[in-house]
Amino acid sequence: MKTAAIALLAIPLLTACAGSPDYEQTSKTLNDGTTHYFIKTKLGPCPTSRDWATRTLAKRANEICKSGYVLIGEQAPVLLDHLGPPPKDTKLLWQIKCKEADRPES
């Protein structure tokens, strides 16, 4: 009985940590004709939320670039207070470009 109660209490906590797989996406075509994509997703309050966000962005990057992608840059929030909860609107941002001249899906 205790195991079932603990499992039921853990479900909302895990959902709050992972969040929804929502992301934001923009793109910019550079002077050399390459297109860079900017995708970002929310980070939750749990230690595993960064792993979840990374998987979410990698999945979206593979959907955009069918033949693979190159991670150009990553921006993540710097948390100065490691003891307190992270701010509500923290996000992980990736800048990517496709390896080949893919035709990205929107």
Side-chain angles (χ1 to χ4, degrees):
M1 186 71 173
K2 279 186 177 181
T3 305
I6 292 171
L8 289 174
L9 291 173
I11 291 171
L13 179 61
L14 290 174
T15 304
C17 292
S20 61
D22 294 336
Y23 56 86
E24 297 172 36
Q25 175 184 329
T26 58
S27 63
K28 180 178 181 180
T29 302
L30 304 179
N31 291 337
D32 65 1
T34 60
T35 302
H36 286 205
Y37 299 89
F38 302 87
I39 50 178
K40 63 183 169 181
T41 192
K42 293 180 184 177
L43 287 171
C46 300
T48 58
S49 64
R50 180 165 175 103
D51 292 335
W52 173 87
T54 299
R55 286 191 308 271
T56 298
L57 293 179
K59 179 181 176 187
R60 182 61 190 149
N62 283 311
E63 290 170 355
I64 294 169
C65 302
K66 297 294 184 191
S67 62
Y69 65 92
V70 176
L71 180 62
I72 303 297
E74 176 181 272
Q75 289 182 355
V78 175
L79 301 177
L80 300 176
D81 182 9
H82 295 288
L83 300 176
K88 285 184 178 181
D89 294 330
T90 58
K91 294 187 179 186
L92 180 62
L93 169 70
W94 277 11
Q95 179 182 355
I96 64 166
K97 70 175 183 176
C98 297
K99 284 188 177 179
E100 294 179 14
D102 283 334
R103 184 163 275 230
E105 294 183 13
S106 300

